[in-house]
Amino acid sequence: MVRVGIIGATGYAGAELVRLLAPRDDVKLVWFGSRSYIGQPYASIYKGFFGRVLENCRDDSLEELAGEADVIFTATPQGFLSGALTEGILSKAKVIDLSADFRIKDVATYEKWYQLEHKTPQFLGEAVYGLPELTRPDIPGARLVANPGCYPTCTFLAIYPLLKEGLIDPDSIIVDAKSGVTGAGRGAKVANLFCEVNENVKAYGVATHRHTPEIEQQLSLVAGRPVTVNFTPHLIPMERGILVTAYATLGGRAGVGKYTQEDVKAVYEKYYGKEYFVRVLPGTDPPETRWVQGSNFVDVNAVVDARTGRVIMMGAMDNLVKGAAGQAIQNMNLMCGFEESKGLDGIPMGF
Amino acid sequence: MVRVGIIGATGYAGAELVRLLAPRDDVKLVWFGSRSYIGQPYASIYKGFFGRVLENCRDDSLEELAGEADVIFTATPQGFLSGALTEGILSKAKVIDLSADFRIKDVATYEKWYQLEHKTPQFLGEAVYGLPELTRPDIPGARLVANPGCYPTCTFLAIYPLLKEGLIDPDSIIVDAKSGVTGAGRGAKVANLFCEVNENVKAYGVATHRHTPEIEQQLSLVAGRPVTVNFTPHLIPMERGILVTAYATLGGRAGVGKYTQEDVKAVYEKYYGKEYFVRVLPGTDPPETRWVQGSNFVDVNAVVDARTGRVIMMGAMDNLVKGAAGQAIQNMNLMCGFEESKGLDGIPMGF
Amino acid sequence: MVRVGIIGATGYAGAELVRLLAPRDDVKLVWFGSRSYIGQPYASIYKGFFGRVLENCRDDSLEELAGEADVIFTATPQGFLSGALTEGILSKAKVIDLSADFRIKDVATYEKWYQLEHKTPQFLGEAVYGLPELTRPDIPGARLVANPGCYPTCTFLAIYPLLKEGLIDPDSIIVDAKSGVTGAGRGAKVANLFCEVNENVKAYGVATHRHTPEIEQQLSLVAGRPVTVNFTPHLIPMERGILVTAYATLGGRAGVGKYTQEDVKAVYEKYYGKEYFVRVLPGTDPPETRWVQGSNFVDVNAVVDARTGRVIMMGAMDNLVKGAAGQAIQNMNLMCGFEESKGLDGIPMGF
Amino acid sequence: MVRVGIIGATGYAGAELVRLLAPRDDVKLVWFGSRSYIGQPYASIYKGFFGRVLENCRDDSLEELAGEADVIFTATPQGFLSGALTEGILSKAKVIDLSADFRIKDVATYEKWYQLEHKTPQFLGEAVYGLPELTRPDIPGARLVANPGCYPTCTFLAIYPLLKEGLIDPDSIIVDAKSGVTGAGRGAKVANLFCEVNENVKAYGVATHRHTPEIEQQLSLVAGRPVTVNFTPHLIPMERGILVTAYATLGGRAGVGKYTQEDVKAVYEKYYGKEYFVRVLPGTDPPETRWVQGSNFVDVNAVVDARTGRVIMMGAMDNLVKGAAGQAIQNMNLMCGFEESKGLDGIPMGF
């Protein structure tokens, strides 16, 4: 029985961790950390848990929690974990961080994009970027996992095979992403009120969104040289889901326009044919967020446009599952010796 | 291993049966019946099943299916099962009917409200109304279960304890219900297009909705005398969920206004305290459909209005789960000797 | 040219006043009062006005505004106007109050339901309840108009003819209402975030909603004796619109069940046949909020249920127009000698 | 008084024409053409018009209509007008076609993308592409106006100034567009049902959408040489609105990265400073569809990304107004000598 504590359990990602972990009999939730609801029944905040989760919220004391848990999830704002992490904590419990604090290896880049001082850069070296489809071998032995961002996960998985195999020009990548509103968190802001979001679509963080350096870091690692991208996220009037539509010029190493639809599909199959959670859709079927809703799946596909010599790469994912809590549990499974898909094999719920 | 076939597998209720049954290792789905998609991969219609359900759709031949399955779900339009059922079928397989064909015991009432001739009234006698919280003892031995309608399930469970215990006047019951759009089915009708439903609310079937006689039949059985109700359903711009708000005058047997909030809550606890799927909410918390989304729970509560001498009884439910597929599986579990909540213990997914 | 000032111009009702008044050439908007956005361009808050409204927000100084405006709209929280109104203000400008401060004639009732001390009850006597279809003759001469609440407007207009003509039992009235989220205002509350409201329906303020005494006051005036009602509002995942479904027993004065569908329709036609903004729908067509969206129309209809001896009365309205800003302008038109429908004859925008 | 007839009056664009034209006193609607609803009251289909539009639907006889109307709008499927247009019709009435039949000047291109034979190519030469911001001088004298497509209008207006002034590389243009569901029409298709569209986002027509050649034709005219683009539309769970996010490399003629944010804004101001319907937003404010909802405005803006040397150009528009009916009326106003913005100066309705 693995004892699990969650700091930030009352945000949407925290609640999703609870939804996915509470039914398991090999995991025991021992700490529902919250800053705003200390002492209140967890199920009084998310009433879907009524009758199923009986504990009260506790504070966000990482030190104390480390003594009670084997695994700690931090679903907290940027800066929380980097400000609180110690060797003592890591010596007692494994930490899976859903914030960005340990994703960006370059401290200056982190501090510039996040406008925060990084208080504990000494742990950046050992932190494993927890995207199992890319870094699976490194995860079981990790003490500290940086759970990838939602946009970076979906963007990376859509682009990775074609970039790795040299089918696209690394300098030509443009990422246009669309996200549901859970991605904006549960903070009481006018901008996220129903009436401000409904019947609307807008871009935000144009040319400045903080997931850009994370995307670039990972694509650069794959390309073996610096990659810069345009990344434009949009807010969509729905709760869950991210759709990434990425564009690149075909033929990084082999000449523009050389590659066909079949070449592209073959590369996706090569990389994802054995991945349980990444589904390469048939033909040119476009991914849709409804078909992954509530699940840990990422659906990907690509269409070659011979007219323009570009390829359109698409990925759809539930931002709270594969983009946050689900992937974090996938990492936990690997770290704790469980089957990787344990508790994550639910079928999507959307129509 | 129980072999299960579904006729009407490509409607929303059928798809929900697949979603809930496909992950089970004690059940094998052997038949995905459809009228419109014969021969096509089931996962090409509901792409959420891609990689998880590999079978093609077959036709809706009940006779043939009965030879291959232990349990048959018919998620079909009214009139299908009553037109196709035979002793031969029932001798080979248990049938759980999600249509209204065997819910209404009085043939004339059925034929009047549904405007259909009932072709096999000889099976009405043995058909068990499959609302486990009411008829649990009768279900394990049944060959034919009439799975209750969505509105009747939620309405009944909200009203049942107070009516049974005589706290409300049976002649005063008014039911105002609100449903998501999955309740209208997957037929291609202009009225159910996104742009016709979104940003709108309307009543429909005012004073004529076909779930009225089913509600009245069950309430009459409880009251021990004929009960007539007003039932007004409304269409809400959401996918899943039914909310019932029911009104009645307090004091059927004991005088108007006699009963307090505590009396009312005590009666609910008496009836539902041990029911896994019916949750009596704390205090006067109103049920909300989001807190049951995707689950088999029904959340109920009631508020006494001393000013008017009435009680407002409320119930919230996922119309596709406890209102259709989930309850049908609850019945299957009872009929096949599984634990009643098997495969139905998922936590609600809404926020 | 009538000079108009708005206190509370940055709430949804305030913005709707601006939307409807800005295009008029007989009205000049001279004051965009706000507590939160003083000094900021009005069009930086509601960017739909960009290029059309050039003024900055000013404070909420009623005294100062009274010197600059002929008509003042107060779209403010309860207690604001009753705490600030003076004879000096009323001697300089006509005031149309969109809050509840001067709707309830009985101070004790106001103070009990609103949990506020009423600071200026001396103006309650002269305040005219500004529902033109009921009180039209009193409006032109008023200095102070209490603009009706959204739920009370729609509820009253749905019930009024049948109650007035004695077709229904005043003791049997039950009002089940459904509202879009603009009704909850633009305050930054978790409960009104997109993800909390979307894919959900719930009752709120059950047996305690503050519009109850306003509804009862007006129905009592019509009935000529005290009327008590059940009023249950629900929150619907849409932006605009209120739908009222009201139930009453037929036959207050003439015996249960005496009245037919034709009797009922005839009474509606008698009262509303010449009303521009109240549309009695044909046959038993149920009102739908989409068909009044953005307009000042109220659509009403009723269905007699001979089985139960009750009538179901329905009304649909845009809560921000006929339920707030539109009705306020209708009152202004009457007070200023404009044609009553001036600037309010837009056609609904919904599908 | 201009007599106006509409063929295809019962589609969403047709209804929007009626909404915008019915209140005008200088226009008389004489023909509500429909294929499906002949003989039925127009207001029985779109009940928002109840009490305001009293006419019945008539058939789609263009010949007969030409004898009764001064202006004909054809809001019909592709192929209708090209199959029915005659010199006789054009000699009697001006025709504004909301379909694609006369937008594409090259017959082969039209026939390839639309998979239709063009029956009346002899009128292509005189047909004026009715985008007033581009072709204003040609519109007043036209007998036949090809009203631009929704995506092309928004895409073109977002890109036009920068392309015309040579700030961007014509070979680098990528257009990622997002549309509400009214763009898919009112046909009864499963894919457009509420439950299929809600809580979902998807790309469609990837690399094959029929608005691509129209976009390319117009951009090529501006660039003075062939321009090929990637165009990817997405379906968003909302009713109205198109958002275009377009990407291009800065420095077509002047070297990569030369241009600044100020340069870009200056060019927009140069082209749109005097355009009533095109609003260049302040700073880097991103356009949002809610701020143009129901209006004829197009909001545009652009952000220079110095890191990548690209510019992100954005436009937001109501697809039914500036993208269809509003622009058609703008054209009618120019053709009939009305003020160009007559009847189109409503303020957006969204929050």
Side-chain angles (χ1 to χ4, degrees), chain A residues 171 176 178 195-196 199-200 216 230 232 234 239 245 247 288-290 305 307-308 310 351, chain D residues 171 176 178 195-196 199-200 216 230 232 234 238-239 245 247 288-290 305 307-308 310 351:
Chain A
D171 292 329
D176 192 286
K178 298 89 182 165
C195 298
E196 311 283 316
E199 285 291 303
N200 190 42
E216 292 179 345
N230 272 99
T232 313
H234 297 75
E239 292 188 42
T245 313
Y247 303 84
E288 309 189 27
T289 59
R290 60 177 163 158
D305 186 354
R307 295 175 61 252
T308 62
R310 295 194 190 98
F351 292 127
Chain D
D171 291 329
D176 191 287
K178 297 91 182 165
C195 298
E196 310 284 315
E199 286 290 302
N200 190 43
E216 292 180 345
N230 271 100
T232 314
H234 297 76
M238 61 182 196
E239 292 188 40
T245 312
Y247 304 83
E288 308 188 28
T289 58
R290 60 177 164 158
D305 186 356
R307 296 174 62 255
T308 61
R310 296 196 189 96
F351 292 126

Side-chain angles (χ1 to χ4, degrees), chain B residues 112-113 171-176 178 195-204 206-207 212 216 228-232 234 236-240 242-243 245 247 286-291 293 303-305 307-308 310 312 314 351, chain C residues 112-113 171-176 178 195-204 206-207 212 216 228-232 234 236-240 242-243 245 247 286-291 293 303-305 307-308 310 312 314 351:
Chain B
K112 175 180 156 205
W113 285 83
D171 291 329
S172 69
I173 299 170
I174 288 172
V175 180
D176 191 287
K178 298 90 182 164
C195 298
E196 311 283 316
V197 170
N198 192 46
E199 285 291 302
N200 190 43
V201 56
K202 66 172 179 184
Y204 65 99
V206 181
T212 309
E216 292 180 345
T228 308
V229 304
N230 271 100
F231 170 64
T232 313
H234 297 75
I236 303 294
M238 61 183 193
E239 294 188 41
R240 287 165 179 263
I242 280 180
L243 182 72
T245 313
Y247 304 85
E288 308 188 28
T289 58
R290 60 176 163 160
W291 302 129
Q293 192 186 21
V303 176
V304 165
D305 186 354
R307 296 173 62 253
T308 62
R310 295 194 190 96
I312 301 100
M314 294 168 284
F351 291 126
Chain C
K112 175 181 154 206
W113 285 82
D171 292 330
S172 69
I173 299 170
I174 288 171
V175 179
D176 191 287
K178 296 91 182 165
C195 298
E196 310 284 315
V197 170
N198 193 46
E199 285 290 305
N200 190 42
V201 57
K202 66 172 177 185
Y204 65 99
V206 180
T212 309
E216 293 181 343
T228 307
V229 304
N230 272 99
F231 170 65
T232 313
H234 298 75
I236 303 293
M238 62 182 195
E239 293 188 41
R240 291 164 176 263
I242 280 181
L243 181 72
T245 312
Y247 304 84
E288 308 188 28
T289 59
R290 59 176 165 160
W291 302 130
Q293 192 186 23
V303 175
V304 167
D305 186 355
R307 295 174 62 253
T308 62
R310 296 194 189 97
I312 300 102
M314 295 168 283
F351 291 126

Side-chain angles (χ1 to χ4, degrees), chain D:
Chain D
M1 179 72 74
V2 171
R3 298 167 303 161
V4 166
I6 303 170
I7 304 290
T10 53
Y12 290 136
E16 197 72 358
L17 284 166
V18 178
R19 178 176 79 85
L20 293 167
L21 291 172
R24 290 178 63 159
D25 52 17
D26 51 1
V27 166
K28 183 172 169 55
L29 286 167
V30 300
W31 190 292
F32 298 79
S34 170
R35 187 158 287 178
S36 310
Y37 300 100
I38 300 169
Q40 297 183 36
Y42 187 74
S44 72
I45 297 146
Y46 291 103
K47 298 182 183 180
F49 295 110
F50 181 66
R52 297 293 295 272
V53 172
L54 308 178
E55 286 82 355
N56 285 0
C57 293
R58 300 172 68 175
D59 63 26
D60 55 5
S61 165
L62 207 53
E63 283 284 357
E64 190 183 346
L65 169 53
E68 301 188 17
D70 304 304
V71 176
I72 297 171
F73 293 96
T74 45
T76 43
Q78 330 303 335
F80 173 85
L81 185 62
S82 59
L85 192 61
T86 64
E87 178 62 32
I89 290 167
L90 281 180
S91 70
K92 285 185 266 182
K94 297 172 193 294
V95 176
I96 301 170
D97 181 27
L98 282 76
S99 88
D101 283 3
F102 294 94
R103 293 177 195 155
I104 308 292
K105 293 296 182 186
D106 183 69
V107 176
T109 300
Y110 173 87
E111 295 189 339
K112 176 183 153 203
W113 286 82
Y114 285 90
Q115 295 289 305
L116 283 170
E117 184 192 353
H118 200 299
K119 300 283 182 52
T120 51
Q122 68 270 26
F123 297 114
L124 278 170
E126 75 166 289
V128 172
Y129 190 76
L131 185 58
E133 290 76 10
L134 179 70
T135 60
R136 186 173 287 119
D138 303 331
I139 296 167
R143 297 195 303 174
L144 172 59
V145 162
N147 207 59
C150 52
Y151 286 123
T153 294
C154 196
T155 299
F156 182 84
L157 291 171
I159 297 175
Y160 169 45
L162 297 186
L163 182 64
K164 180 76 177 177
E165 294 290 309
L167 273 69
I168 56 173
D169 174 2
D171 291 329
S172 69
I173 300 170
I174 288 171
V175 179
D176 191 287
K178 297 91 182 165
S179 174
V181 189
T182 47
R186 199 170 178 257
K189 295 177 190 167
V190 167
N192 296 331
L193 292 175
F194 181 86
C195 298
E196 310 284 315
V197 170
N198 193 47
E199 286 290 302
N200 190 43
V201 57
K202 66 172 177 182
Y204 65 100
V206 180
T208 62
H209 193 277
R210 300 185 302 183
H211 280 171
T212 308
E214 183 182 343
I215 293 169
E216 292 180 345
Q217 169 182 286
Q218 293 308 121
L219 294 182
S220 297
L221 286 170
V222 168
R225 56 113 154 156
V227 173
T228 308
V229 303
N230 271 100
F231 170 64
T232 314
H234 297 76
L235 192 65
I236 303 293
M238 61 182 196
E239 292 188 40
R240 288 164 178 264
I242 280 180
L243 182 72
V244 162
T245 312
Y247 304 83
T249 301
L250 280 165
R253 295 174 193 160
V256 172
K258 179 180 165 183
Y259 299 107
T260 66
Q261 181 71 20
E262 290 66 37
D263 296 334
V264 162
K265 293 300 292 274
V267 169
Y268 278 97
E269 286 299 340
K270 173 178 170 188
Y271 279 73
Y272 297 137
K274 295 185 178 167
E275 288 292 346
Y276 182 78
F277 291 122
V278 185
R279 304 191 295 193
V280 183
L281 299 187
T284 57
D285 281 9
E288 308 188 28
T289 58
R290 60 177 164 158
W291 301 129
V292 294
Q293 190 185 25
S295 83
N296 203 49
F297 290 122
V298 183
D299 285 359
V300 297
N301 212 344
V303 176
V304 166
D305 186 356
R307 296 174 62 255
T308 61
R310 296 196 189 96
V311 61
I312 300 100
M313 300 160 281
M314 294 168 283
M317 184 188 79
D318 187 319
N319 58 305
L320 291 178
V321 189
K322 184 62 176 173
Q327 183 146 269
I329 292 170
Q330 194 179 349
N331 283 316
M332 181 199 79
N333 287 342
L334 289 166
M335 293 162 86
C336 297
F338 297 124
E339 191 183 356
E340 187 175 331
S341 65
K342 191 85 187 286
L344 297 172
D345 54 354
I347 289 178
M349 212 182 79
F351 292 126

Side-chain angles (χ1 to χ4, degrees), chain A residues 165-280:
Chain A
E165 294 289 311
L167 273 69
I168 56 173
D169 174 2
D171 292 329
S172 69
I173 300 170
I174 289 172
V175 180
D176 192 286
K178 298 89 182 165
S179 174
V181 188
T182 46
R186 199 168 177 256
K189 297 178 189 166
V190 167
N192 296 331
L193 291 176
F194 181 86
C195 298
E196 311 283 316
V197 170
N198 193 45
E199 285 291 303
N200 190 42
V201 56
K202 66 173 178 183
Y204 66 99
V206 180
T208 62
H209 193 279
R210 301 186 301 184
H211 281 170
T212 309
E214 183 182 342
I215 293 168
E216 292 179 345
Q217 168 182 285
Q218 294 307 120
L219 294 182
S220 298
L221 285 171
V222 168
R225 56 113 152 156
V227 172
T228 308
V229 304
N230 272 99
F231 170 63
T232 313
H234 297 75
L235 193 64
I236 303 293
M238 61 183 195
E239 292 188 42
R240 288 164 179 263
I242 280 181
L243 182 72
V244 162
T245 313
Y247 303 84
T249 300
L250 281 165
R253 296 177 194 157
V256 171
K258 177 181 166 185
Y259 301 106
T260 65
Q261 182 69 23
E262 289 66 36
D263 295 334
V264 162
K265 293 300 292 273
V267 169
Y268 277 97
E269 287 298 339
K270 173 180 171 187
Y271 279 73
Y272 297 138
K274 295 185 179 168
E275 288 292 347
Y276 182 79
F277 291 122
V278 186
R279 303 191 294 192
V280 182

Side-chain angles (χ1 to χ4, degrees), chain C:
Chain C
M1 180 71 73
V2 171
R3 297 166 305 160
V4 166
I6 303 170
I7 304 290
T10 53
Y12 291 135
E16 196 72 357
L17 284 166
V18 179
R19 178 176 79 87
L20 294 167
L21 291 171
R24 289 179 63 160
D25 52 18
D26 51 1
V27 166
K28 183 174 170 53
L29 286 167
V30 299
W31 190 292
F32 297 80
S34 171
R35 188 157 288 177
S36 310
Y37 300 101
I38 300 169
Q40 297 182 37
Y42 187 74
S44 71
I45 297 146
Y46 291 102
K47 299 183 183 180
F49 295 110
F50 181 66
R52 297 293 295 272
V53 173
L54 308 178
E55 286 82 356
N56 285 359
C57 293
R58 299 173 68 175
D59 63 25
D60 56 4
S61 166
L62 207 53
E63 283 285 355
E64 190 182 346
L65 169 54
E68 301 188 19
D70 304 304
V71 176
I72 297 172
F73 294 96
T74 46
T76 43
Q78 330 301 337
F80 173 84
L81 185 62
S82 59
L85 192 61
T86 64
E87 178 60 31
I89 290 167
L90 282 179
S91 70
K92 284 186 268 182
K94 298 173 193 294
V95 176
I96 301 171
D97 181 27
L98 281 75
S99 89
D101 283 3
F102 294 94
R103 293 177 195 154
I104 308 291
K105 293 297 179 185
D106 183 68
V107 176
T109 300
Y110 172 88
E111 296 188 338
K112 175 181 154 206
W113 285 82
Y114 285 89
Q115 294 290 304
L116 283 170
E117 183 190 353
H118 199 297
K119 300 284 182 50
T120 50
Q122 67 272 26
F123 299 115
L124 278 170
E126 76 166 288
V128 171
Y129 190 76
L131 186 59
E133 289 76 8
L134 180 70
T135 60
R136 186 172 287 117
D138 302 332
I139 297 168
R143 296 196 303 175
L144 172 59
V145 162
N147 207 58
C150 52
Y151 286 124
T153 294
C154 196
T155 300
F156 182 84
L157 291 171
I159 296 174
Y160 169 44
L162 297 187
L163 183 63
K164 181 75 176 177
E165 295 290 310
L167 273 69
I168 55 173
D169 174 2
D171 292 330
S172 69
I173 299 170
I174 288 171
V175 179
D176 191 287
K178 296 91 182 165
S179 174
V181 188
T182 48
R186 199 169 177 257
K189 295 178 189 166
V190 168
N192 297 330
L193 291 176
F194 181 86
C195 298
E196 310 284 315
V197 170
N198 193 46
E199 285 290 305
N200 190 42
V201 57
K202 66 172 177 185
Y204 65 99
V206 180
T208 62
H209 193 279
R210 301 186 302 184
H211 280 170
T212 309
E214 182 181 342
I215 293 168
E216 293 181 343
Q217 168 182 285
Q218 294 307 121
L219 294 182
S220 297
L221 286 170
V222 168
R225 56 114 152 152
V227 173
T228 307
V229 304
N230 272 99
F231 170 65
T232 313
H234 298 75
L235 192 65
I236 303 293
M238 62 182 195
E239 293 188 41
R240 291 164 176 263
I242 280 181
L243 181 72
V244 162
T245 312
Y247 304 84
T249 301
L250 281 165
R253 295 174 193 160
V256 171
K258 178 180 166 185
Y259 300 106
T260 65
Q261 182 70 20
E262 290 68 36
D263 296 333
V264 163
K265 293 301 291 273
V267 169
Y268 277 96
E269 286 298 339
K270 173 179 170 187
Y271 279 74
Y272 297 138
K274 295 184 179 168
E275 288 292 347
Y276 182 79
F277 290 121
V278 186
R279 303 191 295 193
V280 183
L281 299 187
T284 56
D285 281 9
E288 308 188 28
T289 59
R290 59 176 165 160
W291 302 130
V292 295
Q293 192 186 23
S295 84
N296 203 49
F297 290 121
V298 183
D299 286 358
V300 297
N301 212 346
V303 175
V304 167
D305 186 355
R307 295 174 62 253
T308 62
R310 296 194 189 97
V311 61
I312 300 102
M313 298 160 282
M314 295 168 283
M317 183 188 80
D318 188 319
N319 58 306
L320 291 179
V321 189
K322 183 63 176 171
Q327 184 146 269
I329 292 170
Q330 194 180 351
N331 283 315
M332 183 199 79
N333 286 342
L334 289 166
M335 294 162 87
C336 296
F338 297 124
E339 190 183 357
E340 187 175 330
S341 65
K342 190 85 186 286
L344 297 172
D345 54 355
I347 289 179
M349 213 181 79
F351 291 126

Side-chain angles (χ1 to χ4, degrees), chain B:
Chain B
M1 181 71 73
V2 171
R3 297 167 304 158
V4 166
I6 302 170
I7 303 290
T10 54
Y12 290 136
E16 197 71 356
L17 284 166
V18 179
R19 178 177 78 85
L20 294 167
L21 291 172
R24 291 178 64 160
D25 52 17
D26 52 0
V27 166
K28 183 172 171 52
L29 287 167
V30 299
W31 190 292
F32 298 79
S34 171
R35 188 158 289 178
S36 310
Y37 300 99
I38 299 169
Q40 298 183 35
Y42 187 74
S44 71
I45 298 146
Y46 291 102
K47 299 183 184 180
F49 295 109
F50 181 66
R52 297 293 295 271
V53 173
L54 307 178
E55 286 82 357
N56 286 359
C57 293
R58 300 173 70 174
D59 62 25
D60 54 6
S61 166
L62 207 53
E63 283 285 355
E64 191 184 344
L65 169 54
E68 302 187 15
D70 304 305
V71 176
I72 297 171
F73 294 96
T74 46
T76 43
Q78 330 302 335
F80 173 84
L81 186 62
S82 59
L85 192 61
T86 63
E87 178 60 32
I89 291 167
L90 283 179
S91 69
K92 284 186 267 181
K94 298 172 192 293
V95 176
I96 301 170
D97 181 28
L98 282 75
S99 88
D101 283 3
F102 295 93
R103 293 177 195 155
I104 307 292
K105 293 296 182 186
D106 183 69
V107 176
T109 300
Y110 173 88
E111 295 189 338
K112 175 180 156 205
W113 285 83
Y114 285 90
Q115 295 289 303
L116 283 171
E117 182 191 354
H118 200 298
K119 300 281 181 54
T120 49
Q122 68 271 26
F123 298 114
L124 278 170
E126 76 166 288
V128 171
Y129 190 76
L131 186 58
E133 289 77 9
L134 180 70
T135 60
R136 186 171 288 121
D138 303 331
I139 296 168
R143 296 196 303 174
L144 172 60
V145 162
N147 206 58
C150 52
Y151 286 124
T153 294
C154 197
T155 299
F156 182 84
L157 291 172
I159 296 174
Y160 169 46
L162 297 186
L163 182 64
K164 180 77 178 177
E165 294 289 310
L167 273 70
I168 56 174
D169 175 0
D171 291 329
S172 69
I173 299 170
I174 288 172
V175 180
D176 191 287
K178 298 90 182 164
S179 174
V181 187
T182 45
R186 199 169 177 255
K189 295 178 189 167
V190 168
N192 296 332
L193 291 176
F194 181 86
C195 298
E196 311 283 316
V197 170
N198 192 46
E199 285 291 302
N200 190 43
V201 56
K202 66 172 179 184
Y204 65 99
V206 181
T208 62
H209 193 279
R210 300 185 302 184
H211 280 170
T212 309
E214 183 181 342
I215 294 168
E216 292 180 345
Q217 168 182 286
Q218 294 307 120
L219 294 182
S220 298
L221 286 171
V222 168
R225 57 113 153 154
V227 173
T228 308
V229 304
N230 271 100
F231 170 64
T232 313
H234 297 75
L235 193 65
I236 303 294
M238 61 183 193
E239 294 188 41
R240 287 165 179 263
I242 280 180
L243 182 72
V244 162
T245 313
Y247 304 85
T249 301
L250 281 165
R253 297 177 193 157
V256 171
K258 177 180 166 186
Y259 299 107
T260 66
Q261 182 70 22
E262 290 67 36
D263 295 334
V264 162
K265 293 300 291 273
V267 168
Y268 278 97
E269 287 297 340
K270 173 178 170 188
Y271 280 74
Y272 298 137
K274 295 186 179 166
E275 289 291 347
Y276 182 80
F277 290 123
V278 185
R279 303 190 295 192
V280 182
L281 299 187
T284 58
D285 281 9
E288 308 188 28
T289 58
R290 60 176 163 160
W291 302 129
V292 294
Q293 192 186 21
S295 83
N296 203 49
F297 289 122
V298 183
D299 285 358
V300 298
N301 211 346
V303 176
V304 165
D305 186 354
R307 296 173 62 253
T308 62
R310 295 194 190 96
V311 62
I312 301 100
M313 298 159 282
M314 294 168 284
M317 183 190 79
D318 187 319
N319 57 305
L320 291 179
V321 189
K322 183 63 176 171
Q327 183 146 268
I329 293 170
Q330 195 179 349
N331 283 315
M332 182 200 77
N333 286 342
L334 289 166
M335 295 162 86
C336 297
F338 297 123
E339 192 183 355
E340 186 175 333
S341 64
K342 191 86 188 287
L344 297 172
D345 54 354
I347 288 178
M349 213 182 79
F351 291 126

